[in-house]
PDB file of all heavy atoms in Angstrom:
ATOM      1  N   GLY Z 121     138.727 -11.229  37.127  1.00  0.00           N
ATOM      2  CA  GLY Z 121     137.343 -11.527  37.461  1.00  0.00           C
ATOM      3  C   GLY Z 121     136.749 -12.588  36.561  1.00  0.00           C
ATOM      4  O   GLY Z 121     137.337 -12.993  35.558  1.00  0.00           O
ATOM      5  N   LEU Z 122     135.571 -13.047  36.949  1.00  0.00           N
ATOM      6  CA  LEU Z 122     134.812 -14.046  36.192  1.00  0.00           C
ATOM      7  C   LEU Z 122     133.591 -13.359  35.598  1.00  0.00           C
ATOM      8  O   LEU Z 122     132.681 -12.969  36.326  1.00  0.00           O
ATOM      9  CB  LEU Z 122     134.342 -15.182  37.107  1.00  0.00           C
ATOM     10  CG  LEU Z 122     135.390 -16.106  37.696  1.00  0.00           C
ATOM     11  CD1 LEU Z 122     134.765 -17.013  38.758  1.00  0.00           C
ATOM     12  CD2 LEU Z 122     136.018 -16.936  36.592  1.00  0.00           C
ATOM     13  N   SER Z 123     133.540 -13.221  34.288  1.00  0.00           N
ATOM     14  CA  SER Z 123     132.414 -12.529  33.663  1.00  0.00           C
ATOM     15  C   SER Z 123     131.165 -13.400  33.596  1.00  0.00           C
ATOM     16  O   SER Z 123     130.057 -12.879  33.550  1.00  0.00           O
ATOM     17  CB  SER Z 123     132.787 -12.046  32.264  1.00  0.00           C
ATOM     18  OG  SER Z 123     133.136 -13.149  31.439  1.00  0.00           O
ATOM     19  N   ASN Z 124     131.308 -14.713  33.624  1.00  0.00           N
ATOM     20  CA  ASN Z 124     130.172 -15.611  33.501  1.00  0.00           C
ATOM     21  C   ASN Z 124     129.480 -15.791  34.847  1.00  0.00           C
ATOM     22  O   ASN Z 124     130.075 -16.289  35.808  1.00  0.00           O
ATOM     23  CB  ASN Z 124     130.650 -16.958  32.942  1.00  0.00           C
ATOM     24  CG  ASN Z 124     129.503 -17.913  32.694  1.00  0.00           C
ATOM     25  OD1 ASN Z 124     128.923 -18.429  33.641  1.00  0.00           O
ATOM     26  ND2 ASN Z 124     129.190 -18.131  31.430  1.00  0.00           N
ATOM     27  N   ALA Z 125     128.212 -15.380  34.913  1.00  0.00           N
ATOM     28  CA  ALA Z 125     127.453 -15.438  36.169  1.00  0.00           C
ATOM     29  C   ALA Z 125     127.320 -16.873  36.686  1.00  0.00           C
ATOM     30  O   ALA Z 125     127.351 -17.092  37.898  1.00  0.00           O
ATOM     31  CB  ALA Z 125     126.070 -14.816  35.983  1.00  0.00           C
ATOM     32  N   GLN Z 126     127.183 -17.850  35.791  1.00  0.00           N
ATOM     33  CA  GLN Z 126     127.044 -19.234  36.241  1.00  0.00           C
ATOM     34  C   GLN Z 126     128.349 -19.745  36.836  1.00  0.00           C
ATOM     35  O   GLN Z 126     128.341 -20.457  37.835  1.00  0.00           O
ATOM     36  CB  GLN Z 126     126.581 -20.150  35.104  1.00  0.00           C
ATOM     37  CG  GLN Z 126     126.182 -21.528  35.597  1.00  0.00           C
ATOM     38  CD  GLN Z 126     125.007 -21.478  36.578  1.00  0.00           C
ATOM     39  OE1 GLN Z 126     123.953 -20.924  36.270  1.00  0.00           O
ATOM     40  NE2 GLN Z 126     125.183 -22.047  37.766  1.00  0.00           N
ATOM     41  N   ASP Z 127     129.485 -19.357  36.258  1.00  0.00           N
ATOM     42  CA  ASP Z 127     130.777 -19.739  36.841  1.00  0.00           C
ATOM     43  C   ASP Z 127     130.913 -19.176  38.251  1.00  0.00           C
ATOM     44  O   ASP Z 127     131.382 -19.862  39.164  1.00  0.00           O
ATOM     45  CB  ASP Z 127     131.944 -19.240  35.988  1.00  0.00           C
ATOM     46  CG  ASP Z 127     132.149 -20.049  34.720  1.00  0.00           C
ATOM     47  OD1 ASP Z 127     131.557 -21.151  34.585  1.00  0.00           O
ATOM     48  OD2 ASP Z 127     132.921 -19.577  33.859  1.00  0.00           O
ATOM     49  N   ARG Z 128     130.483 -17.926  38.448  1.00  0.00           N
ATOM     50  CA  ARG Z 128     130.555 -17.319  39.782  1.00  0.00           C
ATOM     51  C   ARG Z 128     129.643 -18.051  40.748  1.00  0.00           C
ATOM     52  O   ARG Z 128     130.030 -18.350  41.883  1.00  0.00           O
ATOM     53  CB  ARG Z 128     130.203 -15.824  39.727  1.00  0.00           C
ATOM     54  CG  ARG Z 128     131.212 -14.984  38.978  1.00  0.00           C
ATOM     55  CD  ARG Z 128     130.992 -13.487  39.142  1.00  0.00           C
ATOM     56  NE  ARG Z 128     129.646 -13.025  38.917  1.00  0.00           N
ATOM     57  CZ  ARG Z 128     129.151 -12.660  37.724  1.00  0.00           C
ATOM     58  NH1 ARG Z 128     129.910 -12.741  36.637  1.00  0.00           N
ATOM     59  NH2 ARG Z 128     127.909 -12.223  37.628  1.00  0.00           N
ATOM     60  N   ALA Z 129     128.425 -18.368  40.320  1.00  0.00           N
ATOM     61  CA  ALA Z 129     127.483 -19.084  41.186  1.00  0.00           C
ATOM     62  C   ALA Z 129     128.025 -20.461  41.542  1.00  0.00           C
ATOM     63  O   ALA Z 129     127.919 -20.901  42.693  1.00  0.00           O
ATOM     64  CB  ALA Z 129     126.126 -19.206  40.497  1.00  0.00           C
ATOM     65  N   ASP Z 130     128.629 -21.139  40.568  1.00  0.00           N
ATOM     66  CA  ASP Z 130     129.205 -22.459  40.824  1.00  0.00           C
ATOM     67  C   ASP Z 130     130.362 -22.354  41.817  1.00  0.00           C
ATOM     68  O   ASP Z 130     130.465 -23.159  42.749  1.00  0.00           O
ATOM     69  CB  ASP Z 130     129.683 -23.106  39.526  1.00  0.00           C
ATOM     70  CG  ASP Z 130     128.548 -23.482  38.582  1.00  0.00           C
ATOM     71  OD1 ASP Z 130     127.382 -23.582  39.024  1.00  0.00           O
ATOM     72  OD2 ASP Z 130     128.839 -23.675  37.374  1.00  0.00           O
ATOM     73  N   LEU Z 131     131.223 -21.358  41.627  1.00  0.00           N
ATOM     74  CA  LEU Z 131     132.353 -21.180  42.534  1.00  0.00           C
ATOM     75  C   LEU Z 131     131.876 -20.877  43.950  1.00  0.00           C
ATOM     76  O   LEU Z 131     132.383 -21.450  44.925  1.00  0.00           O
ATOM     77  CB  LEU Z 131     133.286 -20.069  42.031  1.00  0.00           C
ATOM     78  CG  LEU Z 131     134.500 -19.768  42.888  1.00  0.00           C
ATOM     79  CD1 LEU Z 131     135.353 -21.004  43.125  1.00  0.00           C
ATOM     80  CD2 LEU Z 131     135.340 -18.667  42.233  1.00  0.00           C
ATOM     81  N   ILE Z 132     130.884 -20.033  44.078  1.00  0.00           N
ATOM     82  CA  ILE Z 132     130.340 -19.711  45.410  1.00  0.00           C
ATOM     83  C   ILE Z 132     129.731 -20.962  46.043  1.00  0.00           C
ATOM     84  O   ILE Z 132     129.921 -21.212  47.238  1.00  0.00           O
ATOM     85  CB  ILE Z 132     129.330 -18.546  45.319  1.00  0.00           C
ATOM     86  CG1 ILE Z 132     130.069 -17.250  44.949  1.00  0.00           C
ATOM     87  CG2 ILE Z 132     128.570 -18.375  46.639  1.00  0.00           C
ATOM     88  CD1 ILE Z 132     129.161 -16.113  44.512  1.00  0.00           C
ATOM     89  N   ALA Z 133     129.022 -21.773  45.250  1.00  0.00           N
ATOM     90  CA  ALA Z 133     128.458 -23.024  45.783  1.00  0.00           C
ATOM     91  C   ALA Z 133     129.560 -23.932  46.290  1.00  0.00           C
ATOM     92  O   ALA Z 133     129.427 -24.557  47.348  1.00  0.00           O
ATOM     93  CB  ALA Z 133     127.633 -23.730  44.701  1.00  0.00           C
TER      94      ALA Z 133
END
Side-chain angles (χ1 to χ4, degrees):
L122 292 170
S123 61
N124 184 288
Q126 191 61 55
D127 285 347
R128 293 190 311 272
D130 292 341
L131 179 56
I132 292 166

